[in-house]
Amino acid sequence: QVELVESGGGVVQPGRSLRLSCTASGFNLSFYGMHWVRQAPGKGLEWVAVIGVDESHKNYGDSVKGRFTVSRDKPSNTLFLQLNSLTVEDTATYYCAREKGLFVDYWGQGALVTVSS
Amino acid sequence: IVLTQSPGTMSLSPGERAALSCRASQRVSGAALAWYQQRPGQAPRLLISMASNRATDIPDRFSGSGSGADFTLTIGGLESEDSAVYYCQYYDMSVGLIFGGGTRVEI
């Protein structure tokens, strides 16, 4: 069955970097667009980034553009999100999600990123 | 495009019916409108795609309707497990996923 498992979260100081991973099983990640969505503590959902089937298609939310980079590794069937120049406003649970048409049909369980000095 | 959900919170009793509203700031395609359920401590789960198509394994007490700029998620015969926050979502291919602010349903 389809499963998405995020890892790489943790506590990081402002200005530092972190890389999140999302390992997929039950399907070939290369055949789907993949999204990152985050949720600050007690807040709603905020879209972060997408990578299309065509990897030249990448798009980012305004709040992370220029700081975050989405990528994937086909052999390991893993999606990545590189988070640079982190600020306290980036503190959130980060979810990876599989795109199906014009919505997302599967979500991972999330990885918590806490930016704090 | 901005999605506005109302009410912010609704408190209902088991067996009652809930109607959750999602209003877009301009007309949108229903084909790109979805609803998700997020229970406490869990990841979101797809309920409805294309405004009215129930996702796999979603009970038929959940239904979606609407067009243009006004969409509704209706939950008939509320059960305690339906206590959650519900989000509507629109996919603007040039912008990304757009989420409403959510409606909390307390049973």
Side-chain angles (χ1 to χ4, degrees), chain B residues 83-100:
Chain B
S83 291
V85 179
Y86 294 83
Y87 295 94
C88 59
Q89 167 250 297
Y90 179 71
Y91 195 172
D92 182 328
M93 296 295 285
S94 64
V95 172
L97 297 174
I98 300 169
F99 292 97

Side-chain angles (χ1 to χ4, degrees), chain A residues 49-97:
Chain A
V50 62
I51 182 169
V53 174
D54 177 355
E55 292 194 20
S56 66
H57 173 62
K58 298 180 183 179
N59 200 4
Y60 301 90
D62 288 342
S63 61
V64 308
K65 204 169 289 186
R67 300 187 300 122
F68 290 9
T69 303
V70 61
S71 62
R72 67 176 150 223
D73 179 67
K74 292 180 181 179
S76 63
N77 213 30
T78 301
L79 177 74
F80 299 103
L81 184 68
Q82 178 70 38
L83 296 71
N84 295 334
S85 304
L86 285 162
T87 72
V88 294
E89 287 74 33
D90 296 316
T91 294
T93 297
Y94 286 75
Y95 298 99
C96 62

Side-chain angles (χ1 to χ4, degrees), chain A residues 35 37 39 42-47 50 57 59-61 95 99 101-110, chain B residues 31-34 36 38 42-46 49-50 87 89-91 93-101:
Chain A
H35 294 260
V37 176
Q39 186 170 39
K43 301 298 185 182
L45 302 173
E46 179 189 12
W47 176 75
V50 62
H57 173 62
N59 200 4
Y60 301 90
Y95 298 99
E99 179 179 297
L102 297 173
F103 53 94
V104 291
D105 62 348
Y106 285 95
W107 299 68
Q109 88 289 348
Chain B
L33 197 288
Y36 302 88
Q38 187 177 32
Q42 295 186 15
R45 174 175 75 142
L46 176 67
S49 65
M50 294 184 285
Y87 295 94
Q89 167 250 297
Y90 179 71
Y91 195 172
M93 296 295 285
S94 64
V95 172
L97 297 174
I98 300 169
F99 292 97

